[in-house]
Amino acid sequence: MIELRELTKTYKAGSNEVKALDGVSLTVDRADIFGVVGFSGAGKSTLIRCINLLERPDSGSVIIGGTDITAQTEKQLEKTRQKIGMIFQHFNLMRSKTVFENLALPLKYQKRSKRDIEIKVGEILNLVGLSDKRNNYPSQLSGGQKQRVAIARALANDPHILLSDESTSALDPQTTDSILELLQKLNKLLNLTIVIITHEMLVVKQICNKAAFMDKGRVVEQGDLFDMFSNPRTEATKKFTANAFDIEEVQKILRNIDIKSLTGENGKFLHLVFLGDGANDAHITKVARKFAVDISIIYGGIEIIQSRPIGNLFVVVQGTGDAVNAAIAHMRLTNTHVSVLSE
Ligand SMILES: Nc1ncnc2c1ncn2[C@@H]1O[C@H](COP(=O)(O)OP(=O)(O)O)[C@@H](O)[C@H]1O
Ligand SMILES: [Mg+2]
């Protein structure tokens, strides 16, 4: 559905140059909910604005549904853009117009008949659950309701793609949930391909099936979300996923503990990541028995990613040096990622 090839974009601000995009390639399939994550300044907004060419890349190509749109004329591009809806952090509604008028506007541009517009606006208001707000002004709506109006407006031209740039970042957690649920519903109901830009890992965790991680204008990792959470390969993604698991908080606490007093002479302090099903503690008990080591759990947590559990455990393993090493080797063979945090 979307293919970005080797995009570059450099901004010049006086004598300063910022490489906002530094050779970005990524592929989004039809009906994906694709998350683009990264810290502030990573280039996410620049990237998403390149998908509908609101921003022109300096080089590279943007291929939408098989067509290279960087080669399109303005007129062709206008048609392409109609099929790509976009929503933003601050909603961008017209304050002097009612909800109905905000939604009717993109349809008026299409020279649709009054009756047609009436029907379409009714449909999309119903879809986002705001039928009773059609004559209200944006100032009379809550943040969540405003974002629903913005989503409805983005749907007016029956887009194939919806781009979302931090659309939940100004909302409280509960409202964020309800907007994410709406996006998920639209994805299923309309087969809508959604690209979600966010600096909040929790948003990606909740609804994306795939993700790309951006760092300093580059995509450092992309693919299936579960794979990325269970086995992050770069420092940037490790930091991000650790954040979603609250591992950074745990590590902060652990820094204040005297690990040596826990591990003793031969013990090791480990971070274990378990994938998929299976009771983690039963697995731990078996390893302890099999290798005659003591395993104490210091901290444990389980996250559900795409309906599959990922368990994180911080443990101390004690026993003879050989037994501890054999236990670690065994765990590595049985679907567990083991990091040794202290010898
Ligand atoms: N219009 C612009 N002019 C100059 N610099 C810009 C412009 N837009 C973005 N930048 C710079 O490009 C980099 C990437 O910005 P952006 O794409 O907004 O990142 P993100 O959305 O990940 O926070 C930042 O260093 C930002 O300051
Ligand atoms: Mg941004």
Side-chain angles (χ1 to χ4, degrees):
M1 195 51 135
I2 304 170
E3 197 178 337
L4 307 179
R5 284 193 199 144
E6 287 298 319
L7 296 189
T8 67
K9 178 82 191 178
T10 302
Y11 291 112
K12 290 183 186 70
S15 57
N16 275 347
E17 283 201 348
V18 180
K19 256 193 182 169
L21 298 180
D22 187 10
V24 169
S25 300
L26 58 85
T27 306
V28 180
D29 291 321
R30 188 175 167 79
D32 273 346
I33 303 186
F34 195 103
V36 179
V37 229
F39 299 106
S40 182
K44 306 180 297 294
S45 292
T46 307
L47 176 78
I48 207 169
R49 289 161 62 84
C50 280
I51 296 178
N52 55 7
L53 295 189
L54 271 179
E55 196 84 66
R56 282 250 165 211
D58 297 333
S59 66
S61 40
V62 179
I63 297 154
I64 305 290
T67 305
D68 183 352
I69 67 167
T70 47
Q72 284 188 322
T73 63
E74 268 309 309
K75 217 177 165 83
Q76 289 170 323
L77 200 52
E78 213 173 285
K79 273 217 139 84
T80 302
R81 285 201 183 113
Q82 280 169 14
K83 294 297 176 189
I84 306 178
M86 192 160 183
I87 53 175
F88 307 89
Q89 181 173 3
H90 296 298
F91 325 122
N92 299 13
L93 300 176
M94 302 191 75
R95 274 186 281 179
S96 62
K97 294 194 183 301
T98 63
V99 168
F100 178 89
E101 290 163 343
N102 265 284
L103 301 186
L105 212 57
L107 297 163
K108 278 189 182 151
Y109 282 133
Q110 308 271 322
K111 308 227 172 359
R112 305 265 287 262
S113 73
K114 247 189 146 148
R115 195 184 134 69
D116 233 24
I117 292 177
E118 190 71 38
I119 292 171
K120 186 71 194 175
V121 172
E123 266 175 27
I124 51 182
L125 271 180
N126 188 33
L127 201 56
V128 301
L130 280 185
S131 299
D132 56 332
K133 300 290 182 203
R134 57 180 275 147
N135 296 321
N136 286 92
Y137 287 89
S139 62
Q140 299 170 308
L141 303 177
S142 69
Q145 289 168 335
K146 282 182 209 166
Q147 196 56 286
R148 280 169 191 271
V149 176
I151 291 170
R153 182 183 55 190
L155 296 177
N157 291 316
D158 302 311
H160 305 308
I161 296 169
L162 179 67
L163 307 176
S164 159
D165 192 351
E166 304 278 5
S167 67
T168 58
S169 298
L171 305 175
D172 61 74
Q174 219 172 333
T175 313
T176 293
D177 275 355
S178 79
I179 293 294
L180 295 179
E181 269 169 32
L182 174 61
L183 293 178
Q184 221 158 10
K185 172 178 129 182
L186 297 172
N187 163 257
K188 293 225 162 63
L189 199 67
L190 309 172
N191 228 357
L192 191 64
T193 305
I194 303 180
V195 180
I196 292 192
I197 296 266
T198 182
H199 67 281
E200 298 170 297
M201 200 64 216
L202 290 173
V203 169
V204 184
K205 199 185 84 179
Q206 218 152 320
I207 68 166
C208 296
N209 63 320
K210 291 182 199 157
F213 290 80
M214 283 191 78
D215 189 30
K216 301 190 188 86
R218 306 187 66 92
V219 168
V220 292
E221 214 168 318
Q222 65 172 306
D224 179 79
L225 198 70
F226 186 86
D227 291 346
M228 237 176 281
F229 265 93
S230 55
N231 188 18
R233 287 185 301 268
T234 64
E235 278 313 307
T237 32
K238 272 182 197 160
K239 203 161 167 208
F240 243 106
T241 50
N243 199 306
F245 287 130
D246 282 335
I247 287 175
E248 279 196 336
E249 288 302 308
V250 177
Q251 282 166 342
K252 251 185 239 162
I253 297 169
L254 294 176
R255 251 173 249 140
N256 296 322
I257 297 179
D258 179 8
I259 300 292
K260 204 69 216 167
S261 72
L262 291 174
T263 56
E265 269 312 295
N266 294 316
K268 285 187 179 174
F269 185 50
L270 310 177
H271 175 197
L272 310 178
V273 182
F274 293 90
L275 307 186
D277 317 313
N280 299 341
D281 52 348
H283 186 59
I284 288 286
T285 314
K286 271 187 207 154
V287 171
R289 212 180 298 138
K290 192 172 163 110
F291 297 94
V293 290
D294 289 326
I295 304 182
S296 347
I297 296 173
I298 308 298
Y299 165 87
I302 293 184
E303 283 288 338
I304 307 292
I305 305 290
Q306 292 182 284
S307 318
R308 293 165 70 192
I310 299 178
N312 274 278
L313 284 183
F314 289 85
V315 301
V316 169
V317 186
Q318 283 167 306
T320 65
D322 284 352
V324 170
N325 289 334
I328 291 173
H330 176 79
M331 287 191 278
R332 286 192 167 131
L333 283 174
T334 49
N335 225 10
T336 305
H337 292 286
V338 184
S339 319
V340 180
L341 301 180
S342 90
E343 298 288 335

